[in-house]
Amino acid sequence: MEKKDLRIVFMGTPEFAVETLKALVDNDYNVVAVVTQPDKPVGRHQNELQPSEVKKYALEHHLPVLQPEKMKDPAFVDALRSYQANLQVVVAFRMLPEVVWAMPEYGTFNVHAALLPQYRGAAPINWAVINGETQTGVTTFFLDHDIDTGRIIMQKPFDIPDTADVEYVYDGLMRLGADICLETLERIIATDGRPESIPQEQLLTAGQALQPAPKIFKDTCEINWHQSAKQVYDFIRGLSPYPGAWTTLVSPDGKETVLKIFKSSRTAMKSGATGTTAILDRQPCISADDELLRIDELQLAGKKRMAGRDFLNGVKSFDQYTIK
């Protein structure tokens, strides 16, 4: 097979997927159509429609765009089939029914932002950082009936520095995902659509537990101070800058306010019971189970994001507040 003979349908929605689509276009792959989520209502009255980042890029490069409400819609399936793709590439999209992923003769492969079989699910980047992993990566694998369980084609590792937040890891994996997609396509072309792949079970050692990566909701982001400072520190950076870890701050007069924390640092100092507040070197601190955690960047509900030191200029009695 030659490169020009490979007809590709690309599926994706967020910015993370754009980097891979751009790599395909820049490297002269024949992307015959793009599938993305329907435009989302935005604005105060939800009367404006916002296209996905993938749609914006596709339209700028004159690529046909399909936006199905339901992936099993017969009209969509017929439209997809009309592009006669040999292969489908999926990055940060949605679960596909068999009628879609099994359609091309060479199947459908996904670029997943983790080293499968670890961190199967919707939020692998966040959970890798939250769990204090020192390494993650990207995986290409063929889709099958279950989510993120198909045969692995390739993997590339990515180191996570102890100071990195999820934005750093996201950006790194976004670029690495584009690279691994191109290399996977080269293998597919070289093998006439039949690259070597292995079952995910072969990458598990005896007794090894699987770490899941479920979707993150607002309640997921609430900080549990009844754990080690290291665990809280990892939790904060695993949700920074978006969606942001939060806690409830209670003033001396009983007023409750949501406090988002974007950056923290460990102090190796213990002070008071778990969840109590303190001021150390003119910085706000909160006690985890074993030590004080310095709050370096934060945001009160309705206010701007600011440095912890600046926050104390307006909340001078922070050490008299409590954490709910």
Side-chain angles (χ1 to χ4, degrees), residues 249-252 271 275-280 283-286 292 311-312 315-323:
L249 188 65
V250 184
S251 67
S271 177
T276 57
T277 57
I279 299 175
L280 178 67
Q283 291 273 57
C285 299
I286 300 174
L292 278 175
F311 166 76
L312 288 184
V315 187
K316 299 184 184 301
S317 57
F318 178 74
D319 54 351
Q320 296 177 30
Y321 283 65
T322 57
I323 299 298

Side-chain angles (χ1 to χ4, degrees), residues 11-29:
M11 301 184 181
T13 295
E15 176 193 23
F16 189 91
V18 174
E19 189 77 10
T20 300
L21 177 56
K22 181 178 183 298
L24 296 180
V25 172
D26 289 349
N27 284 273
D28 298 321
Y29 278 96

Side-chain angles (χ1 to χ4, degrees), residues 3-61:
K3 187 176 181 178
K4 62 181 177 61
D5 300 322
L6 188 62
R7 297 173 60 83
I8 298 171
V9 166
F10 181 86
M11 301 184 181
T13 295
E15 176 193 23
F16 189 91
V18 174
E19 189 77 10
T20 300
L21 177 56
K22 181 178 183 298
L24 296 180
V25 172
D26 289 349
N27 284 273
D28 298 321
Y29 278 96
N30 185 17
V31 179
V32 295
V34 170
V35 182
T36 191
Q37 295 277 50
D39 297 356
K40 284 189 174 182
V42 295
R44 185 174 181 180
H45 302 290
Q46 299 285 286
N47 56 358
E48 299 177 28
L49 292 177
Q50 177 71 43
S52 73
E53 295 301 314
V54 162
K55 180 180 179 179
K56 292 177 187 177
Y57 180 89
L59 293 180
E60 288 171 1
H61 291 80

